[in-house]
Amino acid sequence: MAMTTIMGALELGLILALMSVGMFISFRILNIPDLTVDGSFTLGSAFAATFAVQGQSGTGVLLAVVAGALAGAVTGLLQTKLKIQPILSGILTMTALYSVNLWVMGNKPNLSFFGKDTLFTPFERFLPELAAKIVPILLLLAIVTILIRLFLGTQLGLSLRATGDNEDMVRASSINSDAMKILGLSLSNAIVSLAGAVMAQYQVYADISGGIGMMVIGLASIIVGQALLGQKGGVTRGFVAAITGAVVYRFILTFALQSGMASNDLKILSAALVVIAISIPEVKKFIQKRRARRHA
Amino acid sequence: MLELQNVNITFYKNTVNERRALQNVSLRLEQGDFATVIGSNGAGKSTLMNAISGFYDIDSGRILLDGEDISYQKEYKRARKIGRLFQDPLKGTAPNMTIEENLGLAYTRGARRGITSGIKKRDHGFFVEKLKTLDLGLEDRLKTPVKLLSGGQRQALTLLMATIVTPRLLLLDEHTAALDPKTAGKVLAITEEIVSKNHITTMMITHNIQDALTYGNKTIVMSGGRIVLELSGQERKTMTMERLLELYSSTANDTFSDKMIL
Ligand SMILES: Nc1ncnc2c1ncn2[C@@H]1O[C@H](COP(=O)(O)OP(=O)(O)OP(=O)(O)O)[C@@H](O)[C@H]1O
Ligand SMILES: [Mg+2]
């Protein structure tokens, strides 16, 4: 593989890693399958692109974060206040977001802002070309992950974690579990939306269907990472696994594309990866059992 | 002080399965009272506790805690004042969080939880002290995820969590029933110690008649959703296990409640 291909895979992988860190909060810490993701990822791209066209990339990214948090809060409210099933709540928000995203993009299915300043422009001035993208992406990923990890060690963070771990206990400990779920889903989708914004900035382009399949990709990253690094370990290890998984996932895709796979087939590859990664523990168990039986 | 006035709860109202789980239950516990609650299966003991803790909404009546009307307060708000233990040791702790994190969470009960550290340095020593009183060696395992503890250890930890900020009321629903006799005895002894040391108003459901008479200063017998007998003072002291067992077993059929009313 050429150096630029490798760097490209790494850059994309790290942007997806940012999204996976966000999804880790809903999927792993709160234990809620949140399908808002496909919509909130595009939401971030939409804000970033719309403002970048006017040369205001910074504002666009900030608004992306706020909008993502609001989208997560909506899903949380549907779940907790209206008692709608978690999966359905996410699907409803995601569906509604399709319209919202089109509004944001001025009813255009895609927006290009080639030639405008992006978040990467300042870095391009003083960094060599090869580093100009990866450095800011890595920095952002590191800052977000560290901040989230620190937050999860606070009183509020512990309450959030306990909500996903044992809701009975949480209510008996005077924690408002509804509020925790709303908070967690907001946080999660704010980061997913941020990842969408960074993706748009990276590609200098946003597409209304850019977020489709992102939920599965994030899930693949979390699960592949866990399969690689092992099930055990605390929250920190979970984040490291999600990041590793995202990068590995992206490299697998790049490799598949390089070896001639049509880009249309990528989605089925993503789905297959999730299935394989999830089934690894079961397959291991099966093999162990057979071995035990043979020796018996 | 806990006061219940004519509390009613009916499940599946207006259906063939209608079940009057609590019928005009009135009760008064003074500050520091330790009441044991007995009664056959389905008598309404757990429902009574769930009504007090806010897990179930009551249909009518009033519940007062230290004079404050909590009848319609949300469960998590009541939990600021009420500590609770269930029969299932798995219910009281967060399995994937460490002992220390669980205690840190319990220690902020009733306080506003903000973005200061969940486990402060100065609390660490306090947690170790508290864990030592359990005498289960948990003080050396602060960083252990709770899921690795035995049922008895978890229940003892839950007890500590429920009382680390002294609650105004402690509700124990057969909290030793899932433990082996030796561990159950130990957890009961710890319960007794914590409750008496902090003068916590306590209700403890048990199916062990001996325990019901040994522990606490009051015994409440329930049947068919009613409180059919309240024992305290001299009457309770002279009550024998055999005599209470007789009453207790006869609560299985409803003739007991009729007898008591007559
Ligand atoms: N959530 C519920 N929905 C419907 N009925 C319920 C519910 N909870 C309790 N009941 C019914 O209310 C009655 C009282 O139940 P409760 O659990 O309070 O009994 P208990 O005295 O705690 O019994 P046990 O000793 O078996 O724990 C029972 O008839 C039970 O079937
Ligand atoms: Mg019960």
Side-chain angles (χ1 to χ4, degrees), chain A residues 151 153-156 158-159 161-162 165-166 168-169 171-176, chain B residues 75-76 79 90-96 101 105 108 110 113-114 116 118 120:
Chain A
F151 169 72
T154 65
Q155 295 172 349
L156 207 56
L158 287 184
S159 308
R161 287 173 56 199
D165 210 11
N166 185 349
D168 282 325
M169 170 257 188
R171 274 193 307 248
S173 312
S174 86
I175 296 167
N176 184 345
Chain B
E75 186 185 7
Y76 80 88
L90 302 182
K91 273 196 171 177
T93 44
N96 291 301
E101 286 168 341
L105 209 55
T108 49
R113 292 181 172 93
T116 56
K120 302 199 174 53

Side-chain angles (χ1 to χ4, degrees), chain B residues 2-8 24-28 58 60-64 69 71:
Chain B
L2 173 73
E3 197 174 349
L4 274 74
Q5 301 170 350
N6 293 313
V7 171
N8 283 287
N24 288 318
V25 172
S26 295
L27 172 72
R28 194 185 156 96
I58 59 172
S60 63
R62 264 167 37 112
I63 303 171
L64 303 161
D69 190 338
S71 316

Side-chain angles (χ1 to χ4, degrees), chain A residues 51-231:
Chain A
F51 280 81
V53 169
Q54 291 152 20
Q56 298 187 311
S57 285
T59 315
V61 173
L62 278 182
L63 284 177
V65 174
V66 175
L70 286 176
V74 169
T75 302
L77 285 168
L78 293 180
Q79 267 177 47
T80 55
K81 299 302 169 201
L82 300 181
K83 311 276 182 236
I84 299 175
Q85 294 270 327
I87 292 191
L88 184 56
S89 302
I91 292 176
L92 290 173
T93 312
M94 178 189 75
T95 306
L97 279 176
Y98 190 85
S99 300
V100 174
N101 294 339
L102 271 174
W103 296 339
V104 174
M105 289 165 71
N107 285 318
K108 293 190 202 92
N110 50 57
L111 276 180
S112 168
F113 46 100
F114 195 77
K116 302 279 181 189
D117 274 5
T118 69
L119 287 184
F120 299 105
T121 313
F123 293 91
E124 276 155 1
R125 282 196 200 112
F126 62 88
L127 282 178
E129 206 187 312
L130 208 60
K133 292 220 159 93
I134 196 99
V135 168
I137 294 174
L138 258 178
L139 267 177
L140 184 68
L141 176 65
I143 291 171
V144 170
T145 310
I146 291 170
L147 281 180
I148 292 294
R149 182 62 193 96
L150 287 176
F151 169 72
L152 289 174
T154 65
Q155 295 172 349
L156 207 56
L158 287 184
S159 308
L160 189 79
R161 287 173 56 199
T163 302
D165 210 11
N166 185 349
E167 213 179 323
D168 282 325
M169 170 257 188
V170 155
R171 274 193 307 248
S173 312
S174 86
I175 296 167
N176 184 345
S177 59
D178 286 356
M180 287 306 121
K181 285 184 191 171
I182 297 169
L183 174 71
L185 286 169
S186 290
L187 212 54
S188 168
N189 282 290
I191 298 171
V192 170
S193 182
L194 174 64
V198 174
M199 185 66 99
Q201 291 271 319
Y202 177 79
Q203 296 179 326
V204 211
Y205 173 81
D207 192 298
I208 190 68
S209 58
I212 295 179
M214 281 300 165
M215 202 276 295
V216 173
I217 292 177
L219 197 59
S221 306
I222 293 171
I223 294 169
V224 167
Q226 213 170 36
L228 291 173
L229 269 68
Q231 295 273 353

